[in-house]
Amino acid sequence: WRRYRNAYFRLIEHVDAEVGKIVDALDSLKLWDNTVVIFTSDHGDGQGAHQWNQKTVLWEECANVPMIVCTPKSRHAGETTDVLVNNGIDLMPSILDWAGAAKPSWCRGTSYRYAVENPETPNEVPYVVTETVFAQTGGTHGWMVRTPHYKYVLYEAGTNREMLFDMDKDRLEMTNLAIEARYKDTVKEHRELLRQWMEATLPHEEYPKTRLIPVE
């Protein structure tokens, strides 16, 4: 694990150096007044947490990716917002928004430009969903529903296929609240959000996957 984490952080150093080249170029060309820089990633890495060393699984180390935006003239530098962002589908409409271009009608994503430029705005995004596929196990699917305070995870198979974490109190995801009776209603609420998302987004032939959502 020490060797693995050492290699991981050396890779981070390499990324930092490459980002530095872009920043230096923007400095030398004096482009900061009309340039937006977005630093993000398509996924994270296990980093050894929960004895995991890859992507794919829906632990925070893998699913909660960086989202750093530098706006022209570095306005709001250092400020943060709690708005939920789905990096996969929200990136393109955000770039189009800053560029002054229209979002395609088929795009389900939402621009986060307003949230970035108005970081004091309360979160109005009810939830985001992330889907994963374990290629190593023949295509086992998993889904994550992230709401402002909780994270609900459901897998097609496995011993602990349903999980719920309090992301305000348990960022390391050490306590699965899905097995506690006092969180029964919270679990049901998140199951329903996932069911609605599947019904609205999955192709008709894949919709039977909703039967995988526990009813009790």
Side-chain angles (χ1 to χ4, degrees):
W1 287 115
R2 285 196 300 269
R3 289 176 180 268
Y4 161 72
R5 286 175 62 83
N6 176 72
Y8 175 83
F9 287 117
R10 290 305 300 271
L11 288 171
I12 297 300
E13 291 177 0
H14 180 69
V15 171
D16 286 347
E18 296 303 309
V19 171
K21 295 177 182 178
I22 296 173
V23 172
D24 289 343
L26 291 172
D27 281 338
S28 63
L29 296 173
K30 303 186 187 305
L31 294 176
W32 284 112
D33 285 352
N34 65 346
T35 299
V36 176
V37 177
I38 302 174
F39 179 84
T40 188
S41 176
D42 57 339
H43 63 80
D45 188 85
Q47 238 186 319
H50 304 278
Q51 297 186 339
W52 189 259
N53 68 337
Q54 303 173 46
K55 51 182 181 179
T56 309
V57 78
L58 294 169
W59 296 120
E60 278 295 274
E61 288 76 11
C62 304
N64 189 6
V65 299
M67 174 57 69
I68 303 172
V69 182
C70 180
T71 55
K73 299 182 180 179
S74 298
R75 287 187 289 267
H76 305 294
E79 297 187 46
T80 61
T81 176
D82 293 327
V83 172
L84 295 174
V85 173
N86 187 319
N87 189 50
I89 63 174
D90 291 345
L91 179 63
M92 183 184 72
S94 301
I95 293 174
L96 292 174
D97 193 358
W98 268 300
K103 182 180 77 171
S105 59
W106 47 260
C107 180
R108 295 194 181 102
T110 302
S111 170
Y112 46 75
R113 176 181 178 179
Y114 183 84
V116 169
E117 296 180 349
N118 300 272
E120 71 285 350
T121 303
N123 177 51
E124 295 182 354
V125 180
Y127 68 96
V128 294
V129 176
T130 297
E131 185 176 9
T132 188
V133 179
F134 288 77
Q136 304 94 327
T137 59
T140 299
H141 283 71
W143 300 269
M144 177 190 83
V145 178
R146 182 66 160 89
T147 53
H149 302 292
Y150 293 98
K151 174 177 171 180
Y152 172 76
V153 176
L154 178 69
Y155 293 106
E156 282 184 308
T159 304
N160 298 307
R161 58 184 295 260
E162 189 176 35
M163 295 180 283
L164 178 74
F165 300 102
D166 185 328
M167 301 313 293
D168 294 330
K169 301 176 181 178
D170 184 22
R171 293 289 295 180
L172 297 179
E173 300 171 295
M174 302 303 292
T175 304
N176 180 13
L177 303 176
I179 62 175
E180 298 190 19
R182 61 194 175 115
Y183 286 94
K184 183 177 181 180
D185 290 342
T186 304
V187 171
K188 285 185 176 180
E189 291 171 4
H190 285 73
R191 286 174 182 168
E192 178 60 17
L193 291 175
L194 180 57
R195 187 197 67 77
Q196 292 175 6
W197 176 86
M198 286 183 167
E199 185 177 24
T201 62
L202 291 182
H204 180 72
E205 63 273 15
E206 292 187 23
Y207 180 60
K209 287 182 181 296
T210 55
R211 293 180 300 184
L212 298 167
I213 300 176
V215 295
E216 292 294 342

